[in-house]
Amino acid sequence: MKRFFSFPNPVNDAAARSVALGVLAMSVAAFVTGSAGILIPLTYGFLARVAAGPKISPLGWFAVHVSGPRIERWQKSVPGPPKRFAQALGLAFSSAALITWLSAGWLDARWILLPLIGAASLEGLLGYCLGCTVFGWFIRAGMIPASICDECGDLSARYRRAGYEVE
C-alpha cells in the first residue's frame, strides 16, 4: 500500500510539463467559459497526483505514457519531491476555488484560478516550476529537511549541468 501511495523520484520533466499544460488548458477553459464544473476533475487530478503520482490521475497517466515520451527536447530527469510539493500547491488552489464555487459562487471562485494559471504557464511553457522554487526556499530556510531532496537545497550542481560557472 505504501508503494501505491508514492510519488516518482526522479520525474521526467517532459511529463511534468505536459501535466502543467493540461492544467493550464483546464484552468483557462474554466476561467474563460465559466464552466465551473471543470474544477471537479482539476481538483481530483491534483489530489490523485499528490497521493499516488500519475497512477490514478488520468492527466498524469497520459503525460507519463503518451505525451511526455514524445517531447524529445524536454527529456531530463528532475527531483520528485519538489514536483509533489508543486502538485500540493495546485491542490490547495484548485480546492479553494472548488470550495468557493460551491459556497459563494463562480464569480468569486474564478479569480482563485489566476495564480494556478500563472504557475502552470511558467511550468508548461517555460519549464520554470514555481512550486519547486518555493520548495528550495523552504529547504534553505530549514522548514523542510534537506535530506528530502539533497539537490534542491544546493542548486550549484544544476547550474553546472546547464553550463553556468558556479563558485
Side-chain angles (χ1 to χ4, degrees):
M1 196 58 119
K2 182 179 179 181
R3 185 174 166 184
F4 180 81
F5 290 107
S6 64
F7 197 87
N9 188 24
V11 170
N12 179 348
D13 197 45
R17 289 180 69 176
S18 295
V19 166
L21 290 172
V23 166
L24 177 61
M26 293 171 70
S27 299
V28 168
F31 188 85
V32 170
T33 67
S35 300
I38 294 174
L39 294 174
I40 296 168
L42 182 67
T43 303
Y44 166 77
F46 279 117
L47 178 62
R49 289 185 298 277
V50 169
K55 292 184 240 15
I56 56 175
S57 163
L59 179 57
W61 188 93
F62 180 82
V64 167
H65 297 288
V66 179
S67 62
R70 287 172 172 73
I71 307 173
E72 290 183 21
R73 49 183 289 225
W74 292 352
Q75 296 298 319
K76 68 178 178 179
S77 292
V78 295
K83 294 296 184 185
R84 189 178 214 175
F85 179 79
Q87 292 296 314
L89 291 177
L91 175 60
F93 279 98
S94 63
S95 296
L98 179 62
I99 291 166
T100 303
W101 168 51
L102 294 173
S103 61
W106 177 243
L107 292 179
D108 294 326
R110 67 189 178 137
W111 299 107
I112 300 171
L113 289 177
L114 290 180
L116 196 56
I117 289 169
S121 295
L122 288 171
E123 170 82 14
L125 301 173
L126 302 176
Y128 179 79
C129 178
L130 189 58
C132 299
T133 299
V134 172
F135 187 85
W137 292 343
F138 283 174
I139 285 180
R140 286 186 288 288
M143 298 169 68
I144 295 175
S147 61
I148 301 258
C149 180
D150 293 327
E151 186 178 343
C152 301
D154 177 14
L155 298 178
S156 59
R158 198 176 303 176
Y159 290 133
R160 276 193 292 279
R161 279 196 309 273
Y164 298 103
E165 301 241 354
V166 180
E167 295 181 22

